[in-house]
Amino acid sequence: MRRFYGLQWLCIFLIFFTTASAQDSAVRISYSQQRINRGIISLNISVKPDKGAELFALQHAAEAPLYSSITFDSASKKYLTDSIIATGKLISTVDSTLGSPVEIYRDSVTWSQQVKAAPGDSFLIRGTLNYMYRKGEAYLPGEANFTFFVTPDRASSQELSRNESPDIADHSLWWIFLTAFAGGVIALVTPCVYSMIPVTVSFFTKRSKNKSEGIRNAVYYAVSIVAIFTVLGFLVTLIFGPAALNNLATNWIANLIFFVLFLVFGISFLGAFNIELPASWSTRADSRAGTKSFLGIFFMALTLVVVSFSCTGPIIGNLLVLAARGNYYGPLVGMFGFSLALALPFALFAFFPGKLNMLGKAGGWLNSVKVVLGFLELALALKFLSNADLAQGWRLLDREVFISLWIVIFGLLGLYLLGFLKFRHDDQLPKNDFDLPYLSVTRLFFAVASFAFMVYMIPGLWGAPLKGISAFVPPMGTQDFNASSAGNNYSVQQRDTSVLHPEKYYERMKIYEPEVVTKYGMEIFYDYDEALAAARKAKKPLMLDFTGINCVNCRKMEGEVWSDPEVMRRLKEDFVIASLYVDVHKVLLPEDERYFSEALKKQVETLGDKNTDLQVSTYNANTQPYYFFLDANEERLAPRGYGYDPDIKSFLALLDSVVQVYRQ
């Protein structure tokens, strides 16, 4: 019997090779998809044979000699639910040539495959349709590769947002303006923005030579900040997606540029040289693009906007997400209110140096102020170099190296304030009644503060957490020696084998672990799916920690809130934590996990882009840190996410409420 079927197959292939090349396909294929409910989408492949052609059905019986088939690639199979459903008039008959029973369609058929897809999900389903049809005496095969792009369901996502978490778009424009204005005031005291104050003061000290020029420069600066935040930020978000500005702020090239700028300004303020245009440009400099013109001031405002963007808080991040999704008035009003609050104090800082210049000339106490600012700018320049170093994984500026350089800088600053160091434009110390140089009490207090800060940082060379500057120094994972963890008995051998442990991306990402995580032996996952599986197995709620390598506020939350003993006990005992870094662009996703993101308007190929897309498309936010809590079914355990708020009691109350809801 097997020999008989072998002869039949030989005849079929002979017929195929002699006739297939001369005939066109008699099958027309179309594709569609339909959302069945909140969690299920039906992917449909419709095939219609031409008149006189017969399409063989999918194989249901092992003895069917000819059949069609649909296969999915390995990355798509995790989304599939039940088996394929066929809709069409199926005919069972006996093939006259083969003498065997077959199942065919003479009219159209639709094959449907259901996949799991929450309203905010976005992924690709790839596969291949291999079909066989008969036309006349010819048996002809065909192949069609297909790709279904599952996009977030906008209507369902908006409904979900309204039901589970109050959306900023649901409020009035006045409410958005006032809230954003308050967010701008709060942003002034964040490290990213606060660090720009000495740069602003030193920049305008050299440019405001009289009252009218000081007022003009202050107005230019304030208007530039408002215009950049409101107009350019809005347009960049619409064109490049809600993550564009955050990507620029954390981009390693941008951080290197800021490092060079701060380094050059710092050395200049120490008196090494003056930043001036070439003499041949002096005439045009005053009227066009010189450093003393409006463009120079606009450039400083642009620097402030980009540098501070990663610390601008949950309001501005959510506004950018809304802008990318088509809500225009709310984001415009909100960003205007935010930038106005941010610009007003800086306008005062820009105006105040003009008054200083009227009270003193070069040298004297005014030059001492510049030198102090020069030291501060050198310290801040290292922060930008550290950002680029962490993003690229160069390991040039590890934690102990960074701290050592800061210790030296602030030690030298203390010596300068005591009068032991002199720079090019420095005057002698003032003389007392006995004609001897003396140190003012104010200058002494600043010197004491500088030396105290230097001494405070010294234990950090051996792994002390340094909570006060944890937002600025590189993560503990980059430290070569950590005395505080030398006695830690936690080891891989002591792991509980009944639960899952982080493996995916762990070796590459563990250097970014916060010091508190290393100290207490807490495990952190870096992949969403792996963390979700671990949470299900451990029967614990999942905490999503949207964070970033260069996120200053994230480091403050970890250093000030996570390090609290009660917070750490709850996190370690009651939760599975996934730290989803949004600015990791050197870690590539496997080929079968890459997809196109409609929210980001780009192909997602890196771990950072994947986490950003998850935060934007599913949780309508794009700021870090941001915490969300899920159960085993990926439903939220808290109606709202939790952004930057270093209040330990509030965070403890949130953790307790999440655990209570989970156990109900």
Side-chain angles (χ1 to χ4, degrees):
M1 181 63 67
R2 290 182 179 177
R3 182 176 298 178
F4 174 74
Y5 280 118
L7 291 174
Q8 286 184 325
W9 276 107
L10 178 60
C11 293
I12 292 172
F13 281 114
L14 287 175
I15 295 172
F16 166 72
F17 282 117
T18 56
T19 61
S21 60
Q23 298 186 40
D24 296 327
S25 174
V27 172
R28 288 172 288 172
I29 305 174
S30 60
Y31 306 93
S32 64
Q33 57 181 318
Q34 178 185 8
R35 182 170 289 277
I36 305 301
N37 53 46
R38 174 175 290 185
I40 298 295
I41 288 180
S42 177
L43 307 180
N44 307 314
I45 304 175
S46 298
V47 184
K48 182 175 179 61
D50 287 346
K51 187 176 181 180
E54 297 175 340
L55 176 68
F56 288 91
L58 300 182
Q59 184 184 28
H60 294 114
E63 63 272 10
L66 293 179
Y67 53 86
S68 301
S69 65
I70 297 176
T71 57
F72 297 90
D73 64 10
S74 57
S76 302
K77 290 181 179 178
K78 62 182 178 181
Y79 299 106
L80 308 183
T81 57
D82 301 326
S83 57
I84 298 174
I85 300 174
T87 304
K89 186 177 180 180
L90 182 64
I91 301 174
S92 298
T93 184
V94 176
D95 187 273
S96 58
T97 303
L98 301 177
S100 301
V102 294
E103 295 178 329
I104 61 172
Y105 295 97
R106 294 195 175 100
D107 202 350
S108 61
V109 59
T110 297
W111 289 310
S112 302
Q113 172 67 64
Q114 293 187 352
V115 296
K116 296 174 291 185
D121 284 350
S122 174
F123 53 85
L124 295 179
I125 296 292
R126 294 188 177 95
T128 303
L129 167 63
N130 290 285
Y131 57 90
M132 177 70 71
Y133 66 94
R134 180 177 64 189
K135 189 173 183 181
E137 298 297 326
Y139 293 81
L140 303 172
E143 181 177 288
N145 296 318
F146 58 83
T147 299
F148 286 97
F149 179 31
V150 176
T151 60
D153 181 35
R154 296 179 182 270
S156 298
S157 296
Q158 292 171 0
E159 179 183 357
L160 182 66
S161 177
R162 287 192 294 269
N163 291 338
E164 297 185 355
S165 175
D167 198 293
I168 195 171
D170 295 332
H171 295 281
S172 68
L173 294 180
W174 272 111
W175 185 93
I176 294 175
F177 173 81
L178 294 175
T179 305
F181 187 88
V185 174
I186 295 173
L188 285 169
V189 298
T190 60
C192 295
V193 180
Y194 192 77
S195 64
M196 288 298 296
I197 293 177
V199 182
T200 302
V201 175
S202 59
F203 181 82
F204 284 97
T205 296
K206 301 180 67 176
R207 286 159 176 77
S208 302
K209 300 186 182 300
N210 52 62
K211 182 176 181 179
S212 61
E213 188 175 354
I215 295 175
R216 185 194 66 188
N217 289 343
V219 172
Y220 283 172
Y221 194 59
V223 171
S224 297
I225 292 175
V226 174
I228 292 171
F229 251 111
T230 305
V231 180
L232 293 184
F234 183 77
L235 293 178
V236 168
T237 299
L238 287 181
I239 297 172
F240 299 105
L245 289 177
N246 191 50
N247 290 339
L248 177 61
T250 58
N251 181 270
W252 69 275
I253 297 178
N255 276 281
L256 280 183
I257 293 174
F258 294 138
F259 161 70
V260 172
L261 288 175
F262 275 58
L263 182 65
V264 171
F265 273 108
I267 296 174
S268 172
F269 294 137
L270 293 179
F273 53 84
N274 292 324
I275 302 177
E276 296 179 352
L277 289 174
S280 60
W281 295 2
S282 58
T283 302
R284 288 179 293 177
D286 291 333
S287 60
R288 295 187 181 180
T291 56
K292 299 180 182 180
S293 68
F294 170 75
L295 288 183
I297 298 173
F298 184 84
F299 175 76
M300 285 301 299
L302 179 62
T303 302
L304 168 68
V305 170
V306 175
V307 169
S308 65
F309 193 78
S310 61
C311 289
T312 51
I315 294 298
I316 200 69
N318 292 339
L319 289 171
L320 293 180
V321 173
L322 290 176
R325 295 189 172 192
N327 294 309
Y328 302 135
Y329 295 110
L332 278 173
V333 171
M335 282 187 280
F336 174 75
F338 183 91
S339 59
L340 183 63
L342 201 66
L344 289 177
F346 276 96
L348 296 177
F349 283 120
F351 174 76
F352 188 63
K355 291 289 187 181
L356 289 179
N357 279 339
M358 291 189 294
L359 296 176
K361 298 182 182 297
W365 67 272
L366 182 58
N367 185 74
S368 298
V369 172
K370 288 184 180 180
V371 172
V372 172
L373 294 175
F375 277 109
L376 295 178
E377 289 186 19
L378 291 179
L380 293 174
L382 291 175
K383 172 57 182 172
F384 292 109
L385 179 59
S386 174
N387 290 346
D389 181 56
L390 290 171
Q392 293 298 102
W394 294 327
R395 300 297 300 272
L396 299 175
L397 205 62
D398 285 350
R399 189 174 187 269
E400 65 271 24
V401 177
F402 183 94
I403 294 174
S404 298
L405 291 173
W406 268 32
I407 290 174
V408 171
I409 289 174
F410 284 94
L412 292 175
L413 174 58
L415 292 175
Y416 171 79
L417 291 171
L418 291 178
F420 289 102
L421 290 178
K422 294 292 183 182
F423 290 96
R424 179 180 177 184
H425 300 297
D426 282 320
D427 288 342
Q428 296 295 325
L429 291 174
K431 294 184 178 182
N432 59 16
D433 296 339
F434 303 98
D435 200 33
L436 296 174
Y438 75 96
L439 195 68
S440 67
V441 175
T442 302
R443 190 158 179 160
L444 176 63
F445 280 158
F446 278 112
V448 170
S450 182
F451 281 122
F453 186 51
M454 180 193 73
V455 174
Y456 167 78
M457 289 188 290
I458 291 176
L461 297 175
W462 291 273
L466 304 181
K467 293 182 181 180
I469 58 173
S470 60
F472 290 92
V473 298
M476 188 65 70
T478 64
Q479 181 123 352
D480 292 330
F481 175 71
N482 186 354
S484 64
S485 63
N488 190 353
N489 295 324
Y490 179 81
S491 64
V492 176
Q493 287 75 17
Q494 295 174 322
R495 283 182 169 184
D496 184 358
T497 57
S498 64
V499 298
L500 297 177
H501 301 280
E503 295 181 359
K504 200 169 185 180
Y505 310 117
Y506 179 75
E507 291 300 321
R508 177 63 177 84
M509 298 296 298
K510 65 181 181 181
I511 64 171
Y512 304 124
E513 284 184 349
E515 185 274 339
V516 65
V517 171
T518 306
K519 179 179 179 180
Y520 288 96
M522 184 171 67
E523 289 188 320
I524 297 291
F525 291 83
Y526 300 101
D527 179 74
Y528 172 81
D529 294 321
E530 188 179 48
L532 180 62
R536 288 170 174 168
K537 186 172 183 179
K539 297 181 179 179
K540 294 180 179 180
L542 173 62
M543 172 177 155
L544 301 183
D545 166 30
F546 288 100
T547 182
I549 298 174
N550 296 319
C551 173
V552 177
N553 289 343
C554 303
R555 303 294 85 79
K556 286 180 67 67
M557 282 292 295
E558 294 156 359
E560 298 178 13
V561 180
W562 288 29
S563 60
D564 179 81
E566 284 301 310
V567 172
M568 178 49 60
R569 182 181 64 81
R570 286 167 171 78
L571 291 178
K572 188 175 180 180
E573 295 178 1
D574 300 332
F575 294 88
V576 171
I577 301 177
S579 288
L580 305 178
Y581 286 81
V582 301
D583 56 357
V584 179
H585 302 300
K586 298 292 288 185
V587 180
L588 298 178
L589 298 174
E591 289 284 347
D592 59 354
E593 294 184 15
R594 300 178 185 180
Y595 62 95
F596 180 83
S597 166
E598 182 67 23
L600 302 183
K601 305 281 192 275
K602 61 184 293 188
Q603 182 77 5
V604 173
E605 298 182 350
T606 67
L607 181 61
D609 287 340
K610 176 184 177 182
N611 294 332
T612 301
D613 178 56
L614 176 65
Q615 186 180 13
V616 171
S617 62
T618 304
Y619 300 103
N620 298 326
N622 187 31
T623 186
Q624 297 80 41
Y626 226 122
Y627 309 110
F628 295 93
F629 301 87
L630 308 178
D631 62 13
N633 297 319
E634 302 180 77
E635 298 290 337
R636 293 193 199 181
L637 296 171
R640 298 185 182 183
Y642 189 93
Y644 174 70
D645 182 4
D647 183 75
I648 295 176
K649 291 183 178 179
S650 298
F651 197 70
L652 279 173
L654 173 68
L655 297 181
D656 290 339
S657 65
V658 168
V659 172
Q660 183 178 3
V661 172
Y662 180 80
R663 291 174 178 174
Q664 287 178 351

